[in-house]
Amino acid sequence: MPRIGLAALKGPENVEHGVDKIASVIKICRSRKVDIVCFPETYLPGLRGADFDLPSPDQQVMEGALKSLRGLCRDAQVAAIVGMEWITDGGLENRAVVISGAGRVLGHQTKNQITPGGESRNYNPDGQRRVFKTAGLTFGITICHEGWRYPETVRWPAVRGAKIVFQPQVTGSDRKGRKLRRWGGSLYEKAMQCRAAENTIYFASVNQ
């Protein structure tokens, strides 16, 4: 099994700052012989509809960030799953972009089961599910809300050979709400356990 990294980073001040933080993590991954690292949901620029103050979507900035990320992955020979916004003809998408250790974009998984309310006013699904192969690993991706409430988003890649499903997410708050004292007691943590047990695969979740 390749070595997996989960980068639970706080949100960046802006996209440039976010790319710098990702660069620092990828450098650490290289030194620790991590083969593939996953970052939180829409880490660039942040989750729209949550309690973040974000600028308007800027496709040119996203494309520049992706170019930089490809170079970082190529230089370190570390694959990455990076949450990004992306403007398409169908509207703004919440994507997890997969970049190989050679710096190639292998594709993306779009969030299709979108949380009602703020997120549904901002993001559009593309309705597609995908399986990815890199770093000797076959895997799928389910984004946040999808993995909590829609088990089929994990079952779909599992029956197509995925040995692990990554879940980039943004859930909860470090400023308000109940503080968890022990891991495993919340709905979210129970859902993680269920997704793994239901499919006899690994389920790797990373929050912001």
Side-chain angles (χ1 to χ4, degrees):
M1 182 70 142
R3 193 167 198 188
I4 302 301
L6 300 174
L9 298 176
K10 287 195 173 186
E13 297 170 4
N14 50 50
V15 172
E16 183 180 8
H17 180 224
V19 171
D20 287 344
K21 292 180 75 172
I22 290 171
S24 297
V25 169
I26 289 177
K27 183 177 179 180
I28 293 170
C29 288
R30 181 179 183 178
S31 69
R32 297 185 181 180
K33 299 186 180 346
V34 170
D35 297 293
I36 182 168
V37 58
C38 184
F39 294 87
E41 176 184 12
T42 53
Y43 189 68
L44 303 175
L47 182 63
R48 213 167 286 277
D51 58 348
F52 305 125
D53 184 17
L54 299 174
S56 298
D58 189 324
Q59 184 62 18
Q60 186 174 355
V61 168
M62 288 293 104
E63 291 176 6
L66 181 56
K67 182 178 180 180
S68 296
L69 295 173
R70 292 179 62 188
L72 292 168
C73 289
R74 181 183 64 248
D75 292 346
Q77 297 183 318
V78 174
I81 301 167
V82 183
M84 304 180 73
E85 289 188 338
W86 205 261
I87 297 174
T88 71
D89 291 341
L92 185 64
E93 293 180 354
N94 175 335
R95 289 185 173 187
V97 178
V98 180
I99 306 168
S100 75
R104 292 179 52 236
V105 175
L106 302 181
H108 66 273
Q109 178 61 58
T110 299
K111 189 175 189 178
N112 292 318
Q113 304 285 5
I114 299 176
T115 311
E119 282 188 67
S120 62
R121 291 194 297 269
N122 293 302
Y123 296 119
N124 291 279
D126 74 358
Q128 302 295 314
R129 302 221 69 82
R130 300 169 176 90
V131 170
F132 305 91
K133 295 181 180 181
T134 193
L137 183 66
T138 301
F139 61 94
I141 300 169
T142 184
I143 302 176
C144 198
H145 178 71
E146 297 183 313
W148 306 137
R149 301 188 183 275
Y150 299 92
E152 63 270 23
T153 65
V154 177
R155 185 62 179 163
W156 193 94
V159 299
R160 289 164 175 80
K163 302 303 181 186
I164 184 170
V165 171
F166 290 94
Q167 188 202 30
Q169 49 138 322
V170 175
T171 304
S173 172
D174 58 357
R175 296 191 295 269
K176 59 186 179 181
R178 183 170 62 93
K179 288 188 177 181
L180 297 179
R181 302 297 180 187
R182 182 171 56 88
W183 196 93
S186 75
L187 161 70
Y188 305 104
E189 293 158 337
K190 295 296 186 187
M192 294 182 203
Q193 295 170 338
C194 286
R195 298 299 87 83
E198 289 159 352
N199 299 288
T200 322
I201 61 170
Y202 292 100
F203 187 83
S205 185
V206 58
N207 198 2
Q208 182 167 295

